[in-house]
């Protein structure tokens, strides 16, 4: 794997034609978790995919489409038009230097623009390939592997706490937060700010006395390493076959 920490010569000498573009987010995660969790997750994605593909890994973009959280102070949301225009600029600049294959990986679940962008860029630029990885059943399999099978939450609940306790425990205040959000609120999730649909921005519940800090960190590590490993399976073969078919 190579990254922006390598020199131009090292990147050139590697002969890689693959670049990894990752995006996180800067958004609220309830009253007791830091706002860069999605960015940390995206970095783990990018490094894992970079190792699997021996690719050039760009620094993670820390902003995304976080409209649902925009009422919460500190959250940054960028319009999909601006965000995708920037990613397209990155791709076309790197393509001029010889990169031909690109992987988009997202740490933010609310990035609805991703699939449409990948499809459009592949249509617009027939001389390059952009792919993403699909979750399929990986999420459910990872929940089972981590011992939290059937967890029903979307944001800022138990899994978010476990993730933070694995990736940045020094920034976590272990206090109960969140709530069981009424099922009927799901139909409004993409239309209304979440501060009007949830108790404290968390679409899920964490109760502090149910796990030790070590158990929380272990769950976070087990879940994400399993999930990302599942999404890395056959990544190289899929990319190479897609590129071969597109260029034929």
């Amino acid at each position: 794997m190579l990254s922006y920490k390598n020199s131009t010569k090292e990147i050139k000498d590697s002969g890689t034609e693959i670049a990894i573009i990752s995006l996180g987010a800067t958004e609220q995660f309830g009253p007791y978790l830091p706002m860069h969790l999605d960015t940390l997750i995206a970095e783990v994605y990018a490094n894992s995919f970079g190792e699997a593909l021996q690719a050039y890994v760009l620094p993670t973009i820390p902003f995304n489409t976080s409209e649902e959280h925009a009422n919460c102070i500190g959250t940054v949301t960028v319009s999909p038009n601006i965000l995708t225009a920037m990613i397209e600029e990155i791709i076309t600049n790197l393509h001029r230097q010889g990169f031909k294959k690109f992987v988009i990986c997202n740490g933010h679940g609310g990035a609805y623009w991703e699939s449409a962008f990948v499809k459009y860029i592949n249509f617009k630029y027939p001389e390059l390939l952009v792919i993403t990885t699909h979750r399929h059943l990986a999420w459910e399999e990872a929940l089972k592997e981590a011992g939290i099978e059937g967890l029903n939450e979307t944001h800022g609940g138990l899994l978010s706490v476990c993730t933070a306790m694995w990736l940045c425990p020094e920034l976590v205040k272990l206090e109960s937060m969140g709530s069981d959000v009424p099922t009927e609120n799901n139909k409004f999730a993409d239309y209304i700010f979440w501060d009007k649909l949830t108790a404290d921005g968390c679409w899920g519940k964490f109760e502090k006395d149910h796990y030790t800090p070590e158990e929380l960190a272990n769950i976070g590590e087990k879940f994400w390493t399993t999930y990302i490993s599942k999404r890395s399976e056959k990544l190289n073969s899929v990319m190479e076959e897609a590129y071969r078919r597109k260029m034929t």
Side-chain angles (χ1 to χ4, degrees), residues 41-206:
I41 293 166
E43 289 174 350
V44 176
Y45 272 131
N47 289 334
S48 178
F49 295 163
E51 290 287 350
L53 297 170
Q54 290 304 296
Y56 171 46
V57 178
L58 293 169
T60 299
I61 298 169
F63 306 119
N64 219 309
T65 49
S66 300
E67 298 92 343
E68 64 272 28
H69 306 293
N71 269 5
C72 298
I73 190 167
T75 294
V76 175
T77 187
V78 180
S79 76
N81 290 343
I82 297 297
L83 193 62
T84 55
M86 181 174 67
I87 300 169
E88 183 175 353
E89 287 284 306
I90 293 169
I91 289 171
T92 55
N93 275 273
L94 289 176
H95 183 250
R96 288 179 64 250
Q97 300 167 6
F99 289 91
K100 299 176 181 178
K101 305 160 192 171
F102 301 86
V103 180
I104 305 291
C105 52
N106 229 305
H108 175 50
Y112 299 160
W113 54 267
E114 183 180 12
S115 295
F117 173 75
V118 169
K119 184 178 179 182
Y120 171 71
I121 292 297
N122 280 303
F123 162 74
K124 185 175 180 180
Y125 300 100
E127 68 277 14
L128 58 82
L129 178 74
V130 180
I131 70 167
T132 186
T133 59
H134 299 285
R135 53 181 282 176
H136 300 301
L137 297 176
W139 188 269
E140 290 73 22
E141 292 173 4
L143 288 176
K144 183 177 180 179
E145 185 69 21
I148 50 176
E149 187 175 10
L151 185 68
N152 182 26
E153 63 181 40
T154 303
H155 180 90
L158 171 62
L159 182 55
S160 294
V161 174
C162 292
T163 302
M165 286 300 293
W166 173 44
L167 295 175
C168 55
E170 73 281 1
L171 302 179
V172 180
K173 185 175 182 181
L174 280 178
E175 298 289 346
S176 297
M177 65 180 194
S179 60
D180 293 321
V181 179
T183 303
E184 60 266 23
N185 282 7
N186 289 333
K187 66 174 71 77
F188 307 121
D190 293 331
Y191 313 134
I192 300 173
F193 295 121
W194 283 15
D195 63 313
K196 299 181 183 298
L197 297 175
T198 66
D200 55 8
C202 298
W203 206 291
K205 182 193 293 186
F206 169 69

Side-chain angles (χ1 to χ4, degrees), residues 208-228:
K208 68 175 182 178
D209 295 328
H210 286 192
Y211 299 92
T212 67
E214 293 76 17
E215 288 172 333
L216 293 168
N218 288 337
I219 291 171
E221 181 177 13
K222 177 64 73 173
F223 173 84
W224 286 109
T225 53
T226 301
Y227 182 54
I228 293 172

